[in-house]
Amino acid sequence: MKKTLLLTLLVLALMTLGLGTIAAQDDLVVVRYPITSDPASLEPGLVKELYSAEIALSLHAGLFTYDADTNVVPYMVKEYTVSDDGLVYTFTLYDNILWHNGRPVVAADFKAGWERYLDANVGAQSAGVPWADVGGGPEMFAGEADELTGVQALDDTTLEVTLIQPSNTFLQNLAVPITWVVPEEAVVAGSPEWVDGPVGAGPFKFVEWTPNVSLVLEANDDFFLGRPSVDRIEYLVVPDANTALAQYEAGELDIVAVPPAALQRVSEDAVLSEQLAYFTRAQLRYAGMNQDMFEPFKDARVREAFNHAIDMNVIVTQLLNNAWTPPTGLVPPHIPQYNPDLAAFTYDPALAQQLLADAGYPGGEGFPVLELATLDTTQAEAVAAMLNANLGITVEIVQPERGDMIDGLWAGDRWQFFLFGWTADTPSASVWTYELLYCDLDSNFSNYCNPEVDAAIDQARTTLDVAESTSYWQQAESLAMADAAVIPMGYARFIYLVNPAVEGFVANLFGPIGFAGVSKSS
Amino acid sequence: MSGYLFRRIAFILFSLLGATFLAFAASRLAPGDPVRLMAGEQNVAPEVIEAWKVRYGLDQPIPVQYLYYVRNVLQGDFGTSYQYIGMPVMDLIGPAVLVTLRWESIALVGAIIIAFFLGMIAAVRHNTWVDTGAMFIALFGISLPDFVLATFLVLIFSLGLKWLPVAGYETPAHLVLPVITLAVHPCALISRIVRASMLEVINQDYMRTARAKGVSERVIITKHGLRNAMLPVLTVVGVIVGRILAGSFIVETIFNIPGVGRVGVTAVLQRDYPVILGATIILATAFLITTLIVDLLYGVLDPRVRVID
C-alpha cells in the first residue's frame, strides 16, 4: 500500500511538470496589480472600457493627459497656441519622443492615427465623437471623405488642428486614450494588437500577454520624460474581488481594490486599515424614479417626500463604511461645474409625511406597491425599510442579473424604481445633468422631463465662455434638485489597499493614473 | 463493433448540435446586450451601439444568426470574441482547455487512486473502526460544497499557516488547494462505491476458491476482487467527469485558474456569445467522449457486455 501511495504521488507530481516555477526575479522592482478581466484591446483608440484605458496610460502616450487632480495637462506637447477665434490649435511636440520600435514620433502620426479611428470599419468605440468639431471629422466618419482635412502636420514636431466651431471640450478629448495613437507601421490590418505586440510611446513597453492570466510590461528606458522607477508591472487577471483581496493579504499582490462587502473588516483590521487609500471618483450613486412606469412619481411632492424620507448619512457611514461620500447634488466634487453651495435634501420624516399627504397619500394610504430594482441589495434593503417606516409604503426589492438590469434601464420600460450609478468619462457636469435629466434622452432612465431644466442645459451646452457656461450648468442642477428629479445617494470613491513599500500610487477622478510615478522599496 | 462505434459517433454529433442550439437560444433569450454591458454605468453614443451590432451580425434575426453560426462552426470558424477585440474564440478557449484538462485530470486521478485505497480498506476491515472512520470522512466529503471547502482551505493553509499560495496558476504549489477542493467530492463518492462493490464481491464463490487454494490475501483482493468491483466504479467515473467539468466553474473562479470554467463564467457575465458557445461545445464534446470511452471500457473489463454486431 505504501508503494501505491508513493506511486500516486509520483504520478501526480509528474502531471504538474512543465508548470513554471516562479522565476528568480533578480533585483527587478516588480509591481503586481490585479485586473478583473483582460483588456479588450491594447490599442488605446479602440475602447473606452476601464482596464484598457488604465493599461493604455502605462503603455501609450498622447498629446495631453489628465494629471492626479484631473486637470488637462500637456503630455507630448511642449507648447501650444490657440488662435483668437478659438478655431486653430498649433501644437509643438517634444523632438525626443520615440515609439517603442525605435522610430521618432512625428506630428504626421497623429493625422494618420486619427484618420484610422474615424474609419468605421476599424470599429473604434469612440465612433468619431472626439473629432465631431474637427474639420473633416464628421464627413470622414460618415464615409463621405478620405481625409481629416482639419489636421495638418506642418513639420515633424508641429501639428495644426482647425476646428469647425470653437469647443470647450477639444483639449479634454485629447487627454483621454481614445485619441492617443499607435504608429501606422505597427498596425497590421485585421490582426489583433496582442498577436504582434503593441507599440506605444508610453513609460512602459509590452513584454507579453497571456489572455486570462496576465499582461506584463517593462520600463521603457527611452521614455521622453525619463525612465520610470518600477522595472516591471504584472497585471494579473483576477475576476473575483474576494480572491484578489485574499491574494493581497497573503502578499501576492501589491495593490487591490477593496470590495464593498469587505470594507468593514479591512477598516477594523489594525494592519490593513493603515494601508487603505481613498480617492474621489467621478461617479454618482442615485435612486431613479421612472415616471413612465410609476404614475405617482410624476408628482414632484412624492419625489420630494422620497428624498426626505431616506437618511443618506446612515446609509453612507453605517451601511457602507464610507465607501461613498454623502451627496450634495448631482455633480460630484472636483468636477469644474461642482456647486459647493448646493445642499442635499435633509433627512426629515415629518416633512416627508406631510408632502406625501399633500400628494394624496396620507400615511401611505392608497400608494401602490413599488418595485425597486438593484444590483446590490444591501442599500436597497435600507431604502425599502426607511420608506416603509417613514412613509408607510411597501417597496418590493428585485435583484436582476447585471445584463438584465442594464437592458431594462436603457429600454426604460422595466424598472419603476432603481438604484444605479453614473460614471464620468469626461470631467463635465454634462455627464449627470444632461445625460440623466434631458427630456427624451435614452440615458434619462427616470424619464424625467422639465423644460426649464432643459433650457438651462441648452444654454450651458452652447455657451463658450467657461464661467458663464458653468453658471448655466449650476442653474440646471439647482432647478433639478428643487424639483427632486432623482434621489442622489452618494458619490463613490476608489478604495485601494496599497502595499506600504509602494509609493506614488494615485487615482484621479477616472481611476489610477498609471505607474510612471510609482516607486517600490524592497 | 465498428457499426456500434459509428452509431455512437453519429449520436455524439447529434447531441452536439442540440447542445449548441440550446446554448445559442439560452444566450440570446437571456436579457443583456453585450454592447451596453461593455459600457456599464456610462453613456455610449447611439452611433456606436449601431456600429457594433452590425459588426457582430447582431442586427440579424436570431434564427438567421444561428444558421450563420452553425455554418461557420462546420467550417471550423468559431468566430471572434465580442469582449476582446479581434480575438478568435479558439485562441481564447484553446489554452484554457489545456489548463482545465491538466489540473482536473490531476484531481480525478488522485481522487480515484485514494478512493480505491480508502474503499478497499473499508471493505476488508468491514465493520471495524477503520471502516467507520473512512466512511465518515467520505460522508463529510460528499456533504461539503466546493466553495465552502475552498474557503476553509484558503483560510487555513494560505492566510493562516502561509504554506500555500491563495490563488493563481504559476507553480505546482498553486495547484494543491484547487486539486484537493475538486478531488474531495469524487473521492468520497467513489470510495463508497468501491467499498460497496468490494463487499459484494468479497464473499463470492470464486474468492472463496482462491482463498482455499492458498492464494495470498493481497493478491485475492487486488487481482480478483478489484477487477470485479471495477464496473460500478467505472459508471460513476463517467458521471463524475461531467460533474468535475461543471465544478470547474466555481473552483476555477475561486482559485483564479485560467481554465475553461473561469473563461466561461466571464463570458456569460459579459454576454460574449461566441465564447459562451465555444466553451459549451468544448465541454459537451469532452463529456460525450468520456461517456463513449467509459462504455468501451465496459467491454474490456467484462466480456459479458462486449458489443457484437
Side-chain angles (χ1 to χ4, degrees), chain A residues 66-138:
Chain A
Y66 281 107
D67 67 5
D69 301 318
T70 326
N71 297 312
V72 176
V73 289
Y75 194 9
M76 285 176 159
V77 167
K78 198 159 99 186
E79 52 200 24
Y80 71 101
T81 57
V82 187
S83 64
D84 290 340
D85 58 6
L87 288 179
V88 182
Y89 287 72
T90 311
F91 303 110
T92 310
L93 310 187
Y94 285 100
D95 59 6
N96 61 339
I97 313 174
L98 297 179
W99 294 113
H100 294 160
N101 64 11
R103 177 170 77 73
V105 173
V106 294
D109 285 330
F110 281 90
K111 183 175 165 85
W114 289 345
E115 286 178 347
R116 179 172 135 75
Y117 292 150
L118 282 165
D119 176 351
N121 295 321
V122 171
Q125 226 195 81
S126 49
V129 174
W131 298 276
D133 293 327
V134 176

Coordinates of all heavy atoms in Angstrom, one line a residue, chain A residues 66-138:
Chain A
Y66 N -4.6 63.7 -18.3 CA -5.2 64.2 -17.0 C -4.2 63.9 -15.9 O -3.7 62.8 -15.8 CB -6.5 63.5 -16.7 CG -7.7 64.0 -17.5 CD1 -8.2 63.3 -18.5 CD2 -8.2 65.3 -17.2 CE1 -9.3 63.7 -19.2 CE2 -9.3 65.8 -17.9 CZ -9.8 65.0 -18.9 OH -10.9 65.5 -19.6
D67 N -3.8 64.9 -15.1 CA -2.9 64.7 -14.0 C -3.7 64.2 -12.8 O -4.9 63.8 -12.9 CB -2.2 66.0 -13.7 CG -3.1 67.1 -13.1 OD1 -4.3 66.8 -12.9 OD2 -2.6 68.2 -12.9
A68 N -3.0 64.1 -11.7 CA -3.5 63.5 -10.5 C -4.8 64.2 -10.0 O -5.7 63.6 -9.3 CB -2.5 63.4 -9.4
D69 N -4.9 65.5 -10.3 CA -6.0 66.3 -9.9 C -7.1 66.4 -11.0 O -7.9 67.3 -10.9 CB -5.6 67.7 -9.4 CG -4.6 67.6 -8.3 OD1 -4.8 66.8 -7.4 OD2 -3.6 68.3 -8.3
T70 N -6.9 65.6 -12.0 CA -7.9 65.6 -13.1 C -7.9 66.9 -13.9 O -8.9 67.4 -14.4 CB -9.3 65.2 -12.7 OG1 -9.2 64.3 -11.6 CG2 -10.1 64.6 -13.8
N71 N -6.7 67.6 -14.0 CA -6.5 68.7 -14.8 C -5.9 68.3 -16.2 O -5.1 67.4 -16.2 CB -5.6 69.8 -14.3 CG -6.1 70.3 -13.0 OD1 -7.3 70.7 -12.9 ND2 -5.3 70.3 -11.9
V72 N -6.4 68.9 -17.3 CA -5.8 68.6 -18.6 C -4.4 69.2 -18.6 O -4.3 70.4 -18.4 CB -6.7 69.1 -19.7 CG1 -6.0 68.9 -21.0 CG2 -8.0 68.4 -19.7
V73 N -3.4 68.4 -18.8 CA -2.0 69.0 -18.9 C -1.3 68.5 -20.2 O -1.6 67.3 -20.6 CB -1.2 68.6 -17.7 CG1 -1.7 69.3 -16.4 CG2 -1.2 67.1 -17.5
P74 N -0.5 69.3 -20.8 CA 0.3 68.8 -22.0 C 1.1 67.6 -21.6 O 1.7 67.5 -20.5 CB 1.1 70.0 -22.3 CG 0.5 71.2 -21.6 CD -0.1 70.7 -20.4
Y75 N 1.2 66.7 -22.6 CA 2.0 65.5 -22.3 C 3.1 65.4 -23.4 O 4.3 65.7 -23.1 CB 1.0 64.3 -22.4 CG 1.5 63.0 -21.9 CD1 2.7 62.9 -21.1 CD2 0.8 61.8 -22.1 CE1 3.1 61.6 -20.7 CE2 1.2 60.6 -21.6 CZ 2.4 60.5 -20.9 OH 2.8 59.3 -20.4
M76 N 2.8 65.0 -24.6 CA 3.8 65.0 -25.7 C 4.0 66.4 -26.2 O 4.9 66.7 -26.9 CB 3.4 64.1 -26.8 CG 3.5 62.6 -26.5 SD 2.8 61.7 -27.9 CE 3.6 60.1 -27.7
V77 N 3.0 67.3 -25.9 CA 3.1 68.6 -26.4 C 4.0 69.5 -25.5 O 3.8 69.6 -24.3 CB 1.6 69.2 -26.4 CG1 1.7 70.7 -26.6 CG2 0.8 68.5 -27.5
K78 N 5.0 70.2 -26.1 CA 5.9 71.0 -25.4 C 5.2 72.4 -25.1 O 5.2 72.9 -24.0 CB 7.2 71.2 -26.1 CG 8.4 71.7 -25.3 CD 9.7 71.3 -25.9 CE 10.2 72.5 -26.7 NZ 11.4 72.2 -27.5
E79 N 4.6 72.9 -26.2 CA 3.9 74.1 -26.0 C 2.8 74.2 -27.1 O 2.9 73.5 -28.1 CB 4.8 75.4 -26.1 CG 5.7 75.4 -27.3 CD 6.9 76.3 -27.1 OE1 7.3 76.5 -26.0 OE2 7.4 76.8 -28.1
Y80 N 1.8 75.0 -26.9 CA 0.7 75.1 -27.9 C 0.1 76.5 -27.9 O 0.2 77.2 -26.9 CB -0.3 74.1 -27.7 CG -1.2 74.2 -26.5 CD1 -2.5 74.8 -26.7 CD2 -0.8 73.9 -25.3 CE1 -3.4 74.9 -25.6 CE2 -1.6 74.0 -24.2 CZ -2.9 74.6 -24.3 OH -3.7 74.7 -23.2
T81 N -0.5 76.9 -29.0 CA -1.2 78.2 -29.1 C -2.6 78.0 -29.7 O -2.8 77.0 -30.4 CB -0.4 79.2 -30.1 OG1 -0.3 78.5 -31.3 CG2 0.9 79.5 -29.5
V82 N -3.5 78.9 -29.3 CA -4.8 78.8 -29.8 C -5.1 80.2 -30.5 O -4.8 81.2 -29.9 CB -5.9 78.6 -28.7 CG1 -7.3 78.3 -29.3 CG2 -5.4 77.4 -27.8
S83 N -5.7 80.1 -31.7 CA -6.0 81.4 -32.4 C -7.1 82.2 -31.6 O -7.8 81.6 -30.8 CB -6.4 81.2 -33.8 OG -7.6 80.4 -33.8
D84 N -7.2 83.5 -31.8 CA -8.1 84.3 -31.1 C -9.6 83.9 -31.2 O -10.4 84.0 -30.3 CB -8.0 85.8 -31.5 CG -6.6 86.3 -31.0 OD1 -6.1 85.7 -30.1 OD2 -6.2 87.3 -31.6
D85 N -9.9 83.4 -32.4 CA -11.3 82.9 -32.7 C -11.5 81.5 -32.1 O -12.6 81.0 -32.2 CB -11.6 83.0 -34.2 CG -10.7 82.1 -35.0 OD1 -9.8 81.4 -34.4 OD2 -10.8 82.2 -36.2
G86 N -10.5 80.9 -31.5 CA -10.7 79.6 -30.9 C -10.8 78.5 -31.8 O -11.2 77.4 -31.5
L87 N -10.4 78.7 -33.1 CA -10.6 77.7 -34.1 C -9.3 76.9 -34.5 O -9.3 75.8 -34.9 CB -11.2 78.3 -35.4 CG -12.6 78.7 -35.3 CD1 -13.1 79.3 -36.6 CD2 -13.5 77.6 -34.9
V88 N -8.1 77.6 -34.4 CA -6.9 76.9 -34.8 C -6.0 76.7 -33.6 O -5.5 77.6 -32.9 CB -6.2 77.8 -35.9 CG1 -4.9 77.1 -36.4 CG2 -7.1 78.1 -37.0
Y89 N -5.7 75.4 -33.4 CA -4.7 75.0 -32.4 C -3.4 74.6 -33.0 O -3.4 73.8 -34.0 CB -5.3 73.8 -31.6 CG -6.4 74.1 -30.7 CD1 -7.7 74.4 -31.2 CD2 -6.2 74.0 -29.3 CE1 -8.7 74.7 -30.3 CE2 -7.3 74.3 -28.4 CZ -8.5 74.6 -28.9 OH -9.6 74.9 -28.1
T90 N -2.3 75.1 -32.5 CA -1.0 74.7 -33.1 C -0.2 74.1 -31.9 O 0.1 74.7 -30.9 CB -0.2 75.9 -33.6 OG1 -1.1 76.6 -34.5 CG2 1.0 75.5 -34.4
F91 N 0.1 72.8 -32.1 CA 0.8 72.1 -31.1 C 2.3 71.9 -31.5 O 2.6 71.5 -32.6 CB 0.2 70.7 -30.9 CG -1.3 70.7 -30.5 CD1 -2.2 70.3 -31.4 CD2 -1.7 71.2 -29.3 CE1 -3.6 70.4 -31.1 CE2 -3.0 71.3 -28.9 CZ -4.0 70.8 -29.8
T92 N 3.2 72.1 -30.6 CA 4.6 71.8 -30.8 C 5.0 70.6 -30.0 O 4.9 70.6 -28.7 CB 5.6 73.0 -30.5 OG1 5.0 74.1 -31.1 CG2 7.0 72.7 -30.9
L93 N 5.4 69.5 -30.6 CA 5.7 68.3 -29.8 C 7.2 68.3 -29.4 O 8.0 69.0 -30.0 CB 5.5 67.0 -30.7 CG 4.2 66.9 -31.5 CD1 4.2 65.5 -32.1 CD2 3.0 67.1 -30.6
Y94 N 7.5 67.6 -28.3 CA 8.9 67.3 -28.0 C 9.6 66.6 -29.1 O 8.9 65.8 -29.8 CB 9.0 66.4 -26.7 CG 8.6 67.1 -25.4 CD1 7.4 67.0 -24.9 CD2 9.6 67.9 -24.8 CE1 7.1 67.6 -23.7 CE2 9.3 68.5 -23.6 CZ 8.0 68.4 -23.0 OH 7.7 69.0 -21.9
D95 N 10.9 66.9 -29.3 CA 11.5 66.3 -30.5 C 12.3 65.0 -30.1 O 13.0 64.4 -31.0 CB 12.5 67.3 -31.2 CG 13.5 67.8 -30.3 OD1 13.6 67.3 -29.1 OD2 14.3 68.7 -30.6
N96 N 12.2 64.6 -28.9 CA 13.0 63.4 -28.5 C 12.1 62.2 -28.1 O 12.4 61.3 -27.3 CB 13.9 63.7 -27.3 CG 13.1 64.2 -26.1 OD1 11.9 64.6 -26.2 ND2 13.6 64.1 -24.9
I97 N 10.8 62.2 -28.6 CA 9.9 61.1 -28.3 C 10.1 59.9 -29.3 O 10.1 60.1 -30.5 CB 8.5 61.5 -28.3 CG1 8.3 62.9 -27.6 CG2 7.6 60.5 -27.7 CD1 6.9 63.5 -27.6
L98 N 10.3 58.7 -28.8 CA 10.5 57.5 -29.6 C 9.3 56.6 -29.4 O 8.8 56.4 -28.3 CB 11.8 56.8 -29.3 CG 13.1 57.5 -29.5 CD1 14.2 56.6 -29.1 CD2 13.2 57.9 -31.0
W99 N 8.8 56.0 -30.5 CA 7.9 54.8 -30.3 C 8.7 53.7 -29.7 O 10.0 53.7 -29.8 CB 7.4 54.4 -31.7 CG 6.4 55.4 -32.3 CD1 6.7 56.1 -33.5 CD2 5.1 55.8 -31.9 NE1 5.6 56.9 -33.8 CE2 4.7 56.7 -32.8 CE3 4.3 55.4 -30.8 CZ2 3.4 57.3 -32.7 CZ3 3.1 56.0 -30.7 CH2 2.6 57.0 -31.6
H100 N 8.1 52.7 -29.2 CA 8.8 51.5 -28.6 C 9.6 50.8 -29.7 O 10.5 50.0 -29.4 CB 7.8 50.6 -27.9 CG 7.2 51.2 -26.7 ND1 6.0 50.8 -26.1 CD2 7.5 52.3 -25.9 CE1 5.7 51.5 -25.1 NE2 6.6 52.4 -25.0
N101 N 9.3 51.0 -31.0 CA 10.0 50.3 -32.0 C 11.2 51.1 -32.4 O 11.9 50.7 -33.4 CB 9.1 50.0 -33.2 CG 8.6 51.2 -33.9 OD1 9.0 52.3 -33.6 ND2 7.6 51.0 -34.8
G102 N 11.5 52.2 -31.8 CA 12.7 53.0 -32.0 C 12.5 54.2 -33.0 O 13.4 55.0 -33.0
R103 N 11.4 54.3 -33.7 CA 11.2 55.4 -34.6 C 10.7 56.6 -33.9 O 9.9 56.5 -33.0 CB 10.2 55.0 -35.7 CG 9.8 56.1 -36.6 CD 9.0 55.6 -37.8 NE 7.6 55.4 -37.5 CZ 6.7 56.4 -37.3 NH1 7.1 57.7 -37.3 NH2 5.5 56.1 -37.1
P104 N 11.2 57.8 -34.3 CA 10.8 59.0 -33.6 C 9.3 59.3 -33.9 O 8.8 58.9 -34.9 CB 11.6 60.1 -34.2 CG 12.8 59.4 -34.9 CD 12.3 58.1 -35.2
V105 N 8.6 59.8 -32.9 CA 7.2 60.2 -33.0 C 7.2 61.5 -33.8 O 7.9 62.5 -33.5 CB 6.5 60.4 -31.7 CG1 5.1 60.9 -31.8 CG2 6.5 59.1 -30.9
V106 N 6.4 61.6 -34.9 CA 6.2 62.8 -35.7 C 4.8 63.2 -35.7 O 3.9 62.4 -35.4 CB 6.8 62.6 -37.1 CG1 8.3 62.4 -37.1 CG2 6.0 61.5 -37.8
A107 N 4.6 64.5 -36.0 CA 3.2 65.1 -36.0 C 2.3 64.3 -36.9 O 1.1 64.1 -36.7 CB 3.3 66.6 -36.4
A108 N 2.8 63.8 -38.1 CA 2.0 63.1 -39.1 C 1.4 61.9 -38.5 O 0.4 61.4 -39.0 CB 2.8 62.8 -40.3
D109 N 2.0 61.3 -37.5 CA 1.5 60.1 -36.9 C 0.1 60.3 -36.3 O -0.8 59.4 -36.3 CB 2.4 59.6 -35.7 CG 3.7 58.9 -36.2 OD1 3.6 58.4 -37.3 OD2 4.7 59.0 -35.5
F110 N -0.2 61.5 -35.8 CA -1.5 61.8 -35.2 C -2.5 61.9 -36.3 O -3.7 61.4 -36.2 CB -1.4 63.1 -34.4 CG -0.8 62.8 -33.0 CD1 0.6 62.9 -32.8 CD2 -1.6 62.3 -32.0 CE1 1.1 62.5 -31.6 CE2 -1.0 62.0 -30.8 CZ 0.3 62.1 -30.6
K111 N -2.2 62.6 -37.4 CA -3.1 62.7 -38.5 C -3.5 61.3 -39.0 O -4.7 60.9 -39.1 CB -2.6 63.5 -39.7 CG -3.5 63.7 -40.8 CD -2.9 64.7 -41.8 CE -3.6 64.6 -43.2 NZ -4.7 65.5 -43.2
A112 N -2.5 60.4 -39.2 CA -2.8 59.1 -39.7 C -3.6 58.2 -38.7 O -4.5 57.5 -39.1 CB -1.4 58.4 -40.1
G113 N -3.2 58.4 -37.5 CA -3.8 57.6 -36.4 C -5.3 58.0 -36.3 O -6.2 57.1 -36.1
W114 N -5.6 59.3 -36.3 CA -7.0 59.7 -36.1 C -7.8 59.3 -37.3 O -9.0 59.0 -37.2 CB -7.0 61.2 -35.9 CG -6.4 61.7 -34.6 CD1 -6.2 60.8 -33.5 CD2 -6.0 63.0 -34.2 NE1 -5.7 61.6 -32.5 CE2 -5.6 62.9 -32.8 CE3 -6.0 64.2 -34.8 CZ2 -5.1 64.0 -32.1 CZ3 -5.5 65.3 -34.1 CH2 -5.1 65.2 -32.8
E115 N -7.2 59.4 -38.5 CA -8.0 59.0 -39.7 C -8.3 57.5 -39.6 O -9.4 57.1 -40.0 CB -7.1 59.3 -40.9 CG -7.1 60.8 -41.3 CD -6.3 61.1 -42.5 OE1 -5.5 60.3 -43.0 OE2 -6.4 62.3 -43.0
R116 N -7.4 56.7 -39.0 CA -7.7 55.3 -38.8 C -8.9 55.1 -37.9 O -9.8 54.4 -38.1 CB -6.5 54.6 -38.2 CG -6.7 53.2 -38.0 CD -5.4 52.5 -37.6 NE -5.5 51.7 -36.4 CZ -6.0 50.5 -36.5 NH1 -6.5 50.0 -37.6 NH2 -6.1 49.7 -35.4
Y117 N -8.9 55.9 -36.8 CA -10.0 55.8 -35.8 C -11.4 56.2 -36.4 O -12.4 55.9 -35.9 CB -9.7 56.5 -34.5 CG -8.6 56.0 -33.7 CD1 -7.8 56.8 -32.9 CD2 -8.3 54.6 -33.7 CE1 -6.8 56.3 -32.1 CE2 -7.3 54.1 -32.9 CZ -6.5 55.0 -32.2 OH -5.5 54.5 -31.4
L118 N -11.3 57.1 -37.4 CA -12.5 57.6 -38.0 C -13.0 56.7 -39.1 O -14.1 56.9 -39.6 CB -12.3 59.0 -38.6 CG -12.2 60.1 -37.5 CD1 -11.6 61.4 -38.1 CD2 -13.6 60.4 -37.0
D119 N -12.3 55.7 -39.4 CA -12.8 54.7 -40.4 C -13.7 53.7 -39.6 O -13.3 53.0 -38.7 CB -11.5 53.9 -40.9 CG -11.9 52.8 -41.9 OD1 -13.1 52.5 -42.0 OD2 -11.0 52.2 -42.5
A120 N -15.0 53.8 -40.0 CA -16.0 53.0 -39.3 C -15.7 51.5 -39.3 O -16.0 50.8 -38.4 CB -17.4 53.2 -39.9
N121 N -14.9 51.0 -40.3 CA -14.6 49.6 -40.4 C -13.6 49.2 -39.2 O -13.5 48.0 -38.9 CB -13.9 49.2 -41.7 CG -14.9 49.4 -42.8 OD1 -16.1 49.1 -42.7 ND2 -14.4 49.9 -43.9
V122 N -12.9 50.2 -38.7 CA -11.9 49.9 -37.7 C -12.7 49.6 -36.4 O -12.2 48.9 -35.5 CB -10.9 51.0 -37.5 CG1 -10.0 50.8 -36.3 CG2 -10.0 51.0 -38.8
G123 N -13.9 50.2 -36.2 CA -14.7 49.9 -35.1 C -14.3 50.6 -33.8 O -14.5 50.0 -32.7
A124 N -13.6 51.7 -33.9 CA -13.3 52.4 -32.6 C -14.5 52.7 -31.9 O -15.5 53.2 -32.4 CB -12.5 53.7 -32.9
Q125 N -14.5 52.5 -30.5 CA -15.8 52.7 -29.8 C -16.1 54.2 -29.6 O -17.2 54.5 -29.3 CB -15.6 52.1 -28.4 CG -16.8 51.2 -28.0 CD -16.7 51.0 -26.5 OE1 -17.1 51.8 -25.7 NE2 -16.3 49.8 -26.1
S126 N -15.2 55.0 -29.9 CA -15.4 56.5 -29.8 C -16.4 56.9 -30.9 O -17.0 58.0 -30.8 CB -14.1 57.2 -29.9 OG -13.4 56.8 -31.0
A127 N -16.5 56.2 -32.0 CA -17.4 56.5 -33.1 C -17.3 57.9 -33.6 O -18.3 58.6 -33.8 CB -18.8 56.1 -32.7
G128 N -16.1 58.4 -33.7 CA -16.0 59.8 -34.3 C -16.3 60.9 -33.4 O -16.1 62.1 -33.7
V129 N -16.9 60.6 -32.2 CA -17.3 61.7 -31.3 C -16.2 62.7 -30.9 O -16.5 63.9 -31.0 CB -18.0 61.1 -30.0 CG1 -18.4 62.2 -29.1 CG2 -19.3 60.3 -30.5
P130 N -15.0 62.3 -30.6 CA -14.0 63.2 -30.2 C -13.6 64.2 -31.4 O -13.0 65.2 -31.1 CB -12.8 62.4 -29.8 CG -13.3 61.0 -29.6 CD -14.5 60.9 -30.4
W131 N -13.9 63.8 -32.6 CA -13.5 64.6 -33.8 C -14.7 65.3 -34.4 O -14.6 65.8 -35.5 CB -12.7 63.8 -34.8 CG -11.5 63.2 -34.2 CD1 -10.3 63.8 -34.2 CD2 -11.3 61.9 -33.6 NE1 -9.4 63.0 -33.5 CE2 -10.0 61.8 -33.2 CE3 -12.2 60.8 -33.4 CZ2 -9.5 60.7 -32.6 CZ3 -11.7 59.7 -32.8 CH2 -10.4 59.6 -32.3
A132 N -15.8 65.4 -33.7 CA -17.0 66.0 -34.2 C -16.8 67.4 -34.6 O -17.5 68.0 -35.5 CB -18.2 65.8 -33.2
D133 N -15.9 68.2 -33.9 CA -15.7 69.6 -34.1 C -14.5 69.8 -35.0 O -14.2 71.0 -35.3 CB -15.5 70.3 -32.8 CG -16.8 70.3 -32.0 OD1 -17.9 70.4 -32.6 OD2 -16.7 70.3 -30.8
V134 N -13.8 68.8 -35.4 CA -12.5 69.0 -36.2 C -12.9 69.0 -37.7 O -13.7 68.2 -38.1 CB -11.5 67.8 -35.9 CG1 -10.3 68.0 -36.8 CG2 -11.1 67.9 -34.4
G135 N -12.3 69.9 -38.4 CA -12.6 70.0 -39.9 C -12.4 68.6 -40.6 O -11.4 68.0 -40.5
G136 N -13.5 68.2 -41.2 CA -13.5 66.9 -42.0 C -13.8 65.7 -41.1 O -14.0 64.6 -41.7
G137 N -13.9 65.9 -39.8 CA -14.1 64.7 -38.9 C -15.5 64.1 -39.2 O -15.5 62.9 -39.4
P138 N -16.6 64.8 -39.1 CA -17.9 64.2 -39.3 C -18.0 63.6 -40.7 O -18.6 62.5 -40.8 CB -18.9 65.4 -39.1 CG -18.1 66.4 -38.3 CD -16.7 66.3 -38.7

